[in-house]
Amino acid sequence: MISTTPSFPRRAARLAVLGLLLIAPFAVAETAPSVDSDRALELMVPMRDGVRLATSVFLPAGDGPWPAVVQRTPYNKASASATSSHYTSHGFALVAQDQRGRFASEGEYQPHENELADGYDTVEWTASQTWSDGKVGISGASALGIAANLAAAADPPHLVAAYVTVAPESLFYEGRFIGGVFKEADTGNWMRGQGVGEDAVLAYKKRVVLDQHWQDKDFVFLRHRVDIPIYNVGGWYDLFLHGTLDNFRYLEDWGREGARGNQKVLVGPFGHGALQGDLEYPGAGSWRDSDEELRWFDYWLKGIDNGIMSEPKIRYYQRAAAKKGAFSSKNGYRTADSWPPNSVVKTRYYLGAAGKLGPSAPTVADSATRYRFDPAKPAPTFGGSNLTLPIGPIDQRKVGDRDDYLRFETAVLDSDLVLTGPVEVELWASTDGPDTDFMVKLVDVYPDGYEALVIDTAIRTRYRHGRRAQDIRMMTPGVPEKLIVDLWHTGLTVEKGHKLAVHVTSSNSPRFEVNPNTGEAPGESTRPPRVATNTIFHDAARPSAIVLPVMEPR
């Protein structure tokens, strides 16, 4: 056994850097703890402003002290009792807490708005307890993972490591808007499900432009403060996939001393919930695998040399043909030490006339495909990286044959096309009005015609240069512009006999808010929606293309 817990000579300097987060010495819980027969303490723990948060502490057998794992939830800490023994039997104290304003905790609930200060205070309170050895980890999935990331960004001196599952890099700025388009179903319906009123949901839609509030609260603007190892876990069909990989890449390559070089990531064929559709991936496991979490905390909190840090930094599932009952042997986990892997080459496949897609750049002087986008008749959502809607590689043939839904396909592949890494689309487009949306999908077309959705994304043209106030530009009607559409990341082998496809349209409802095409600010439309004529160009001067991460044969 060796001690691998990092020493932090810079801890004292942290306090000066985080002046706004400094707190007075921690008080003892204001209510006397009750202890049940399962060694659980029920406490009301005071935060720096006096608001008390309901906290359950589960202790291992024996006298301690022990390292502790903190989990902060908006979904009721009572659920932790079902999993507490997994931690306590392994020699960790578990601290489960209702977030501010939720269930038994005091204060006003503002989703994810108070996690910096409350996370810092909870970690430092945990480290000060007599049953704690002063080494604290934090973990959680989804909303709990968001809380864990923000606690790490607050940089509490006693936080040693984190294990974060299916959480974004940017919840407020990009997680709830993609390309500036509000996620109507996932964001709006999630907020409503948390008791947030309709007026607040509408106000949120209007706050699409980057402002100081986003920069003060959102992890993507704060992760440069993180000084600890984090193990990120995500899924190819998860709505926070972008954050899983980009948080890993940022902290691994550019993080502070305690973070840089100490990150790990796992990406499986997972969604935020169960996958829908006709595909199923063998040997996938689950993002809920807590054994890997225990290995991580054994290493960083207990100093047990279990080999986890000598293993490859990246483990990802390379998907291939996966019809239920007819899996390809090419499905399975791979490893790498960088993302994308070093053997990946950016390769353009160009959109062409008559719905063609291929590696040869267009040579014709004038070629375009036009369609009319009627906001009153949006294209329907079937699958994708969703939360409140069906998830996963659902057949896009369900969308139907629509004049406003363009399909660009390769010929049948005569060899495998192995894609591993980030994907983007260079879309040359125009519209006849001041503003519109474009939706892009990457699709794996099976020999029987099944159109398996791989990933989809969106861009609102007024935000094509960014979402700061000074970046917003309306379109000039009829003038083509090159739009860069981020299609996130993929790990997919499009097998011989399949076709690769790119689908382009201007709506995807109810996944995304439908653009009225009027040019008015989001959430403030006073004029009736208008039908837009949108054009996709695919000629020599305006070559629309998808940029693919093609892995070279080894």
Side-chain angles (χ1 to χ4, degrees), residues 69-72 74-75 87 112 138-150 152 161-169 171 219 229-236 238-245 247-248 263-268 270-273 285-294 296-297 333 387:
V69 176
V70 171
Q71 296 176 347
R72 306 190 60 254
Y75 301 130
Y87 296 92
H112 312 297
I138 193 165
S139 73
S142 192
L144 287 73
I146 293 166
N149 274 336
L150 290 171
Y163 191 88
V164 176
T165 306
V166 292
E169 61 179 340
L171 176 69
F219 184 65
I230 299 180
Y231 197 133
N232 273 280
V233 179
W236 292 126
D238 180 57
L239 71 159
F240 296 140
L241 167 66
H242 199 280
T244 297
L245 283 165
N247 284 337
F248 163 80
Q263 307 298 304
K264 287 184 74 73
V265 68
L266 167 67
V267 182
F270 315 137
H272 220 73
S286 168
W287 55 256
R288 296 177 175 84
D289 179 8
S290 55
D291 289 339
E292 192 75 348
E293 178 187 353
L294 291 178
W296 186 247
F297 286 137
Y333 280 100
L387 175 66

Side-chain angles (χ1 to χ4, degrees), residues 165-384:
T165 306
V166 292
E169 61 179 340
S170 170
L171 176 69
F172 301 112
Y173 183 57
E174 280 293 349
R176 293 180 173 177
F177 301 87
I178 294 182
V181 186
F182 185 70
K183 294 170 66 175
E184 185 65 52
D186 286 354
T187 299
N189 290 344
W190 183 87
M191 293 176 72
R192 296 176 185 105
Q194 298 300 299
V196 177
E198 202 60 40
D199 288 346
V201 174
L202 179 59
Y204 207 103
K205 289 184 182 182
K206 297 178 180 180
R207 299 204 56 230
V208 59
V209 178
L210 176 63
D211 58 22
Q212 192 61 47
H213 175 83
W214 292 153
Q215 296 182 72
D216 291 340
K217 299 286 187 179
D218 210 351
F219 184 65
V220 71
F221 303 111
L222 302 169
R223 61 188 178 186
H224 62 278
R225 299 178 179 178
V226 174
D227 201 19
I228 61 170
I230 299 180
Y231 197 133
N232 273 280
V233 179
W236 292 126
Y237 302 104
D238 180 57
L239 71 159
F240 296 140
L241 167 66
H242 199 280
T244 297
L245 283 165
D246 276 30
N247 284 337
F248 163 80
R249 292 201 299 174
Y250 178 89
L251 295 171
E252 175 69 13
D253 294 338
W254 302 292
R256 290 175 63 193
E257 180 185 351
R260 190 170 56 253
N262 288 323
Q263 307 298 304
K264 287 184 74 73
V265 68
L266 167 67
V267 182
F270 315 137
H272 220 73
L275 300 186
Q276 307 289 316
D278 293 347
L279 307 189
E280 190 173 70
Y281 298 98
S286 168
W287 55 256
R288 296 177 175 84
D289 179 8
S290 55
D291 289 339
E292 192 75 348
E293 178 187 353
L294 291 178
R295 291 185 69 216
W296 186 247
F297 286 137
D298 274 348
Y299 186 90
W300 289 107
L301 300 185
K302 295 181 182 178
I304 298 175
D305 187 5
N306 53 19
I308 195 168
M309 291 305 290
S310 61
E311 296 166 1
K313 291 182 175 296
I314 301 164
R315 187 167 179 251
Y316 65 95
Y317 193 101
Q318 186 74 17
R319 293 160 294 162
K323 277 293 190 74
K324 292 179 178 177
F327 311 130
S328 167
S329 62
K330 296 171 185 176
N331 284 286
Y333 280 100
R334 311 285 189 269
T335 60
D337 283 313
S338 64
W339 189 262
N342 293 328
S343 55
V344 165
V345 176
K346 288 186 177 181
T347 305
R348 284 171 173 78
Y349 272 55
Y350 296 90
L351 283 59
K356 293 182 179 179
L357 180 69
S360 298
T363 57
V364 296
D366 188 13
S367 182
T369 304
R370 292 174 178 83
Y371 61 90
R372 286 166 54 83
F373 160 41
D374 185 351
K377 302 175 182 178
T381 300
F382 292 102

